[in-house]
Each structure stands twice: as C-alpha cells, then as structure tokens.
C-alpha cells in the first residue's frame, strides 16, 4: 500500500547506478534495490524512510547517466526489466514505501526514435517535435543561447541543414513543448507510470520547457553571478531571459500535473533552482500555483547557503513566510547527485549532523540523498576515471559530479559490499568508517542519528505538518525555531558555532533528540541548555514556546 503523502517522513534519493549491484557488472540495478529494501524500511535495523525516488532508469545511451532518455516507457537493460520494476513497486508497497521516478520532460537522447525521425526531414510527423531553426543570416547558430554544459546551445545538423536546440549536452536535444503533440506524448508517459503504480514523479529541469517563441538573444548581465546550481563560466555572463522560464511554463506544467491530479495520492516535484534574475517569491509561488494539491517545487537553497546560523535562518524563515501552510508542502533538499556531498560542503561530520537535525525537523517532505545518512564525503575521482561528460564539455574538469555519485558503502572490504566486480566509479578511504555494517550498531553513528530522526518524524505529526516560526532575535551562532500543531509544541535550537553557546528554553521541556543521540545536554532548572559546538537539540515543550511572548 502507498502511504498518504501527508504521513511520509522523508524521501530517499537513490542514484540507481550506485546503490546496489545484484548482477555484479559494476553498476547498480533494480534487483539490487529490491535486495536492500530491508535496509530502507520494515526491519528493526532499517533506516525507516517512507519514500524512495530513483534517478532515471529508462533506456539511455548514458551520455548524461540516464538524463538522456531514448525510450520513456521502458527500463534500461543495465538496470533490469519492466517486470523487475513492477516487482520493486509491489515489494516497496508491501512495506509502505512510496516509489517515485524521475521524469525528464525537457529533452530526450539524440538516440530517441522521435529525434532520429525528426532530424531526417523538415516534413513528417516528428519534424516539429524538437526545436529546429535555420542558421543565422550570415551563417552560424540562430542566436546566442548557451548550453549549461558549455558552448552554444545549438548544434548543426546536416540532414535538415538546420540547427537544433540543446540546453544540456548536444546528445540531449530539447523537445518542442510548444507543439501540442509533444505535450500529449508527455502526458501519455506520465499516465503510463502512474498506471503502473508509482506514487510520485520528480520532474527534471522544468524551467526550460518554455522559451521565447521569437528566439531573441539573451542579454549580457552586468554582474556575473555564480549560478545557484553551482555552475560557473560563460553561461553566467548572460541573463537567461529568453532561453528559459518563458510565459507558457506554468500553463504547460498545469496540463502535465492535471494528469497527476486524476489519480489518488500522487505528487509531482519540480526540479528548479531559483534564478537570480527573478525574485524567489515570484518563482516559488509560481510553481506552487501550478496545481497546489499535487505539485510542488524543491527548495534547493540549502545547497548553496553557507554554514551560518543567520543564513539558514533567513532563507528558511522567508520561504516559510511565503507559503500557505494549508496549501503548500515544502520540499527541502540539501543534497543530490548534482551537488557536492553534505559533509564535504558544510565543512565536516559535525556540521553535517547539524544539517540532518535541521532538515528532518522542518515541515513538509525533506529529501535525503543516499549515503548522506552515513556521512559519506565526496570520493576523490582521478581524472582518467571521470565519467561525467559535463566535466569535459564545460571545460572545467572540477565540475565533475562523480565524487558525489560513488557506490553506496555497505561494508568494509573489496568494493564495499556494493558489487563483486570493479564498480563504475571508485570507492574512497571513507569506506572504513562510513559504511552501513559498521554504523548499524553504533549508537552514536550517523546512521543511528538519521534513523532516530526519521522514526521521530514518523511518530510526531507536528514535525511533518506543524507550523514553523523562528524564535527570538538571532543570537550568536544559534538558530532556534518552534513547531506547533494544536496544543503540541516543539522547540529546535541549532548551534552553528565552533564554541559553546547557551540557549534558554521559553518553557519546560524534554529533549527528544540531539545531534549525538547518546549524549544529551542537560536542561538546567531555569531552562538553559548549554549547546556544544555544532550541537543541535529538538525539545518537546510542555507549554507553547511562544505563549510567553504572546502574553507579554
Ligand atoms: C538535472 C539533473 C542533472 C542532469 C540535468 C539534465 O539538473 O539533475 O543530473 O544532468 O538535469 O537532464
């Protein structure tokens, strides 16, 4: 059975190439996930997370590791078969785990049948499935739009003597969403997977579904910013005013999500990194406005927020302030397959533990990236072992996303229990401590912390759906907030500092969890708690934490 999304404690992102390799070819597969469902939920030792989403598992030449889909309605043999996937859904549902897939609506692989047909001729049923333009009057690309992965977004094709648009790799031509036939195809795909029984969909790179139909040049920006998604370089010299986020984006997403709304208890989560050229409010409320009951955007701000109490407090409080708690579900995401690992980004294990406590005590549907629950850091990948093509096309070898995509670390020993064959990406030194077997029974391990937080989040509805409010003035390095639901109240205090810091509980309470679940700080008679460096606590209050302020 599926769980009601309101009851889901969090979503676990599985990068299928790297989770578990059952057929020992060095690449993870669906059967591997089936074999490890006990790890996810249902046993005494399980992580106990209620939903899983998979990065793409569809047939693909793997130029962008599956984000170049050549058939939307099947499974790549590397990962198994459609029957394997059906079995996975069935077995996951038997454990009350919801299953989500990744849907890539903006582009296909250049090996997709539609594209093969489309590039053959300017006539025919698939001619307008992609964005084709004649060369500029003097020759060359039709305009100055750039690919995020480097160079022009246009690729010349001899067959049609025209250019096609590709926002990502040249092997990922952009679909033409202005063509109603393409939109119908996409709705059919969504229906196919929903009929198969999946509970949700993560929709990839949606910002690019609508572009300026006049194909005007993007203007140069005066201030070169590092993009929110971490990309740098020439791409950020432009304001992407015409090449993305155009006027039909929300209507198109509405059409797509209306299909989701036909089914009971299904959701769609949009991948969208805020664009510095628009206000976050405009963007978030735009995405929430699409189909609020079934669709919501990720909030990725935690990915590029520096490790300071005031920085986290500001973004979370502003974001929560925009939302209507009865209508909008926040989806906080602090890490994924495109971002440096949490431990490496935040500065170390202790900081990452604090992030776990923060993430899992915020409202909505937080997402946990596989391996973060073990505190896996980035794994160094030698230049000759790099698999991520973006590292080459962008001209910046350091932009490789491989270090955060390395195999799940199940145990010590050869290939960390992931496979019997040499894995597609290397394993690093961190296997010694950051592995499931070692952490499984250590009361103070990362895994124990995540497990405890997840179980608490299942038990305490207030943590999932309760209201959020930042408490008091920002003092020193501590970020505190209250959550409440009816007459239940929870208080969270997070010390982002390298020194001890004291907080005073507004009311009496008892600690439910802290960053080191074996070593709780004391609550003094007068309600003060001394937080050690990078320590965080979740406190169940016996009175409303804000009541005092309200009474005064
Ligand atoms: C998304 C994916 C990323 C992929 C890109 C193109 O950002 O998360 O991995 O490369 O879209 O599909």
């Amino acid at each position: 059975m599926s769980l009601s999304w309101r009851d889901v404690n969090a979503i676990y992102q599985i990068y299928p190439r790297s989770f578990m390799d059952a057929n020992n070819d060095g690449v993870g597969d669906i059967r591997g996930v089936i074999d490890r469902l006990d790890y996810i939920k249902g046993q005494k030792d399980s992580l106990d997370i209620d939903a899983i989403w998979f990065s793409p598992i569809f047939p693909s030449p793997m130029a962008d590791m599956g984000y170049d889909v050549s058939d939307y309605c099947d499974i790549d043999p590397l990962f198994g078969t459609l029957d394997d996937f059906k079995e996975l859904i069935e077995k996951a549902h038997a454990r009350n785990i919801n299953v989500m897939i990744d849907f890539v609506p903006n582009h296909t692989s250049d090996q997709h049948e539609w594209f093969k047909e489309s590039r053959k001729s300017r006539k025919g049923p698939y001619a307008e499935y992609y964005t084709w333009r004649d060369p500029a009057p003097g020759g060359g690309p039709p305009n100055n739009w750039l690919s995020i992965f480097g160079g022009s977004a246009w690729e010349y094709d001899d067959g049609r003597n025209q250019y096609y648009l590709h926002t990502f790799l040249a092997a990922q031509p952009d679909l033409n969403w202005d063509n109603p036939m393409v939109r119908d195809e996409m709705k059919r795909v969504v229906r196919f997977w929903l009929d198969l029984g999946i509970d949700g969909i993560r929709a990839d790179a949606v910002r690019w579904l609508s572009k300026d139909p006049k194909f005007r040049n993007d203007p140069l920006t005066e201030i070169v910013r590092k993009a929110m998604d971490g990309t740098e370089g020439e791409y950020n010299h432009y304001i992407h005013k015409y090449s993305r986020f155009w006027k039909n984006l929300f209507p198109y997403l509405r059409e797509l999500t209306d299909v989701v709304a036909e089914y009971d208890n299904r959701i769609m989560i949009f991948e969208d990194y805020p664009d510095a050229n628009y206000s976050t409010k405009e963007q978030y409320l735009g995405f929430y406005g699409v189909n609020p009951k079934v669709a919501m955007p990720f909030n990725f701000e935690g990915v590029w927020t520096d490790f300071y109490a005031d920085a986290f407090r500001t973004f979370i409080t502003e974001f929560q302030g925009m939302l209507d708690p009865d209508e909008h579900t926040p989806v906080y995401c602090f890490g994924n397959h495109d971002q440096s690992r949490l431990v490496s980004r935040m500065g170390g294990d202790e900081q990452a533990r604090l992030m776990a406590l923060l993430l899992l005590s915020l409202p909505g549907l937080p997402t946990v990236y596989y391996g973060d629950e073990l505190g896996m850091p980035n794994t160094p990948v030698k230049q000759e072992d790099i698999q991520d093509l973006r590292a080459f096309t962008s001209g910046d070898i350091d932009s490789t996303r491989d270090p955060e995509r390395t195999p799940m670390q199940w145990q010590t020993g050869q290939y960390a229990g992931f496979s019997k064959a040499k894995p597609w990406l290397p394993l690093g030194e961190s296997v010694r401590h950051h592995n499931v077997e070692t952490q499984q029974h250590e009361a103070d391990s990362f895994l124990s912390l995540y497990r405890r937080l997840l179980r608490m989040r299942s038990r305490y509805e207030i943590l999932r759906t309760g209201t959020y409010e930042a408490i008091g003035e920002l003092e020193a390095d501590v970020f505190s907030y209250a959550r409440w639901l009816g007459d239940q109240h929870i208080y969270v205090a997070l010390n982002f500092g390298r020194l001890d810091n004291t907080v005073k509980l507004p009311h009496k309470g008892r600690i439910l969890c802290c960053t080191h679940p074996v070593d709780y700080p004391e609550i003094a008679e007068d309600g003060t708690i001394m937080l050690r460096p990078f320590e965080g606590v979740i406190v169940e209050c016996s009175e409303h934490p804000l009541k005092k302020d309200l009474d005064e």
Side-chain angles (χ1 to χ4, degrees):
M1 265 225 336
S2 313
L3 262 189
S4 158
W5 280 105
R6 270 184 77 81
D7 295 334
V8 166
N9 59 7
I11 303 171
Y12 187 59
Q13 181 188 350
I14 290 179
Y15 196 66
R17 297 181 72 88
S18 289
F19 193 63
M20 183 66 209
D21 177 17
N23 67 352
N24 292 310
D25 62 356
V27 179
D29 41 47
I30 294 171
R31 191 124 309 267
V33 179
I34 296 176
D35 292 348
R36 295 291 170 155
L37 281 174
D38 279 352
Y39 171 72
I40 295 167
K41 195 175 164 183
Q43 297 295 312
K44 204 166 129 272
D45 289 343
S46 304
L47 177 59
D48 255 348
I49 199 155
D50 291 332
I52 47 182
W53 80 266
F54 292 91
S55 290
I57 44 180
F58 320 107
S60 163
M62 303 287 163
D64 191 19
M65 296 306 157
Y67 285 93
D68 46 325
V69 178
S70 54
D71 178 354
Y72 282 102
C73 297
D74 206 347
I75 302 289
D76 194 287
L78 191 65
F79 297 123
T81 64
L82 206 51
D83 281 337
D84 291 335
F85 191 65
K86 286 182 194 159
E87 185 181 329
L88 174 94
I89 298 177
E90 201 180 301
K91 293 195 163 148
H93 283 173
R95 287 170 163 79
N96 284 325
I97 300 172
N98 287 6
V99 179
M100 296 180 72
I101 57 153
D102 203 333
F103 173 53
V104 189
N106 180 66
H107 43 269
T108 68
S109 158
D110 60 355
Q111 297 308 306
H112 196 293
E113 286 306 317
W114 301 339
F115 190 70
K116 288 188 189 164
E117 288 299 316
S118 191
R119 76 191 321 176
K120 274 189 194 153
S121 125
R122 297 184 186 203
K123 296 206 182 70
Y126 296 97
E128 302 301 324
Y129 265 45
Y130 295 83
T131 303
W132 293 97
R133 309 292 292 166
D134 289 334
N143 68 18
N144 72 353
W145 295 0
L146 292 178
S147 155
I148 297 182
F149 285 179
S152 167
W154 297 97
E155 184 78 4
Y156 184 69
D157 186 85
D158 290 339
R160 285 177 60 142
N161 192 17
Q162 279 186 313
Y163 282 84
Y164 68 83
L165 185 66
H166 61 91
T167 298
F168 296 88
L169 297 172
Q172 294 168 292
D174 281 27
L175 283 160
N176 172 15
W177 271 71
D178 295 332
N179 178 351
M181 279 158 72
V182 168
R183 302 205 294 281
D184 285 346
E185 295 275 14
M186 291 291 131
K187 286 182 262 179
R188 266 195 288 279
V189 173
V190 165
R191 223 174 240 118
F192 172 85
W193 291 102
L194 291 172
D195 286 340
L196 211 79
I198 57 147
D199 306 286
I201 295 171
R202 177 252 190 204
D204 182 75
V206 291
R207 168 167 302 249
W208 285 273
L209 298 189
S210 177
K211 293 128 184 156
D212 174 28
K214 295 193 185 130
F215 293 89
R216 281 168 281 194
N217 280 334
D218 275 337
L220 272 169
T221 172
E222 281 167 22
I223 317 157
V224 177
R225 300 186 189 86
K226 180 174 177 171
M228 299 294 198
D229 62 4
T231 52
E232 285 179 87
E234 200 193 357
Y235 190 76
N236 298 330
H237 296 192
Y238 290 87
I239 299 172
H240 303 282
K241 183 173 172 184
Y242 298 115
S243 53
R244 66 190 195 190
F245 206 49
W246 196 252
K247 301 186 169 55
N248 279 326
L249 173 60
F250 296 137
Y252 290 165
L253 290 176
R254 173 72 199 211
E255 267 187 57
L256 197 65
T257 52
D258 275 346
V259 177
V260 180
E262 287 170 21
Y263 296 73
D264 186 36
N265 193 40
R266 315 290 174 99
I267 58 169
M268 181 175 275
I269 305 178
F270 304 127
E271 187 212 25
D272 189 67
Y273 288 85
D275 179 329
N277 299 310
Y278 305 89
S279 79
T280 45
K281 190 164 184 173
E282 187 181 354
Q283 295 170 72
Y284 284 127
L285 294 188
F287 282 106
Y288 276 110
V290 166
N291 222 332
K293 292 268 178 290
V294 296
M296 51 225 78
F298 278 108
N299 181 313
F300 287 125
E301 287 174 79
V303 164
W304 61 80
T305 299
D306 291 332
F307 189 79
Y308 293 112
D310 59 347
F312 273 90
R313 177 189 157 102
T314 303
F315 105 71
I316 291 166
T317 308
E318 281 179 3
F319 177 63
Q320 287 299 140
M322 287 174 204
L323 305 184
D324 172 350
D326 296 327
E327 280 275 288
H328 304 143
T329 305
V331 187
Y332 289 100
C333 178
F334 292 173
N336 61 31
H337 63 291
D338 296 326
Q339 309 297 338
S340 170
R341 285 263 179 200
L342 208 47
V343 165
S344 308
R345 198 167 3 107
M346 291 300 167
D349 285 1
E350 295 305 306
Q351 291 90 325
R353 291 172 84 105
L354 194 73
M355 285 292 112
L357 202 102
L358 167 64
L359 178 71
L360 295 173
S361 62
L362 289 174
L365 286 170
T367 56
V368 176
Y369 183 50
Y370 86 98
D372 277 359
E373 79 277 21
L374 305 173
M376 271 171 66
N378 286 346
T379 300
V381 178
K382 293 198 205 98
Q383 195 160 326
E384 60 268 28
D385 292 332
I386 289 180
Q387 304 285 328
D388 181 13
L389 270 186
R390 183 181 83 168
F392 303 105
T393 56
S394 68
D396 174 13
I397 205 80
D398 293 334
S399 75
T400 174
R401 296 166 290 179
D402 292 338
E404 61 262 22
R405 297 175 173 182
T406 57
M408 177 71 171
Q409 300 175 177
W410 295 101
Q411 59 192 56
T412 53
Q414 210 189 19
Y415 308 140
F418 163 74
S419 178
K420 292 202 173 68
K422 187 170 181 252
W424 73 289
L425 281 176
L427 288 142
E429 288 283 297
S430 69
V431 175
R432 262 193 302 145
H433 295 113
H434 300 271
N435 71 76
V436 175
E437 194 178 61
T438 306
Q439 294 197 8
Q440 193 74 268
H441 304 292
E442 274 179 10
D444 197 25
S445 64
F446 258 97
L447 186 54
S448 297
L449 172 65
Y450 269 85
R451 188 189 288 139
R452 194 179 172 84
L453 287 166
L454 286 161
R455 290 187 180 172
M456 197 174 68
R457 201 172 165 85
S458 294
R459 209 169 314 129
Y460 284 82
E461 186 191 349
I462 178 172
L463 288 172
R464 304 190 305 273
T465 63
T467 319
Y468 161 94
E469 183 140 351
I471 298 188
E473 295 302 308
L474 180 67
E475 276 171 41
D477 287 325
V478 181
F479 167 28
S480 312
Y481 50 94
R483 306 288 316 279
W484 70 85
L485 182 71
D487 58 2
Q488 295 172 45
H489 320 290
I490 276 179
Y491 170 81
V492 183
L494 309 165
N495 181 11
F496 280 70
R498 289 182 180 278
L499 301 174
D500 292 346
N501 264 303
T502 308
V503 288
K504 191 151 194 274
L505 272 189
H507 280 283
K508 284 208 176 329
R510 101 188 150 91
I511 296 179
L512 288 179
C513 190
C514 79
T515 29
H516 288 275
V518 290
D519 184 18
Y520 287 16
E522 298 276 314
I523 304 183
E525 259 311 295
D526 66 349
T528 48
I529 309 180
M530 212 266 294
L531 295 174
R532 289 161 285 199
F534 308 128
E535 186 165 54
V537 286
I538 300 182
V539 181
E540 184 175 31
C541 291
S542 44
E543 279 183 73
H544 196 303
L546 294 181
K547 191 161 170 285
K548 192 163 152 259
D549 300 345
L550 297 174
D551 288 348
E552 273 166 3

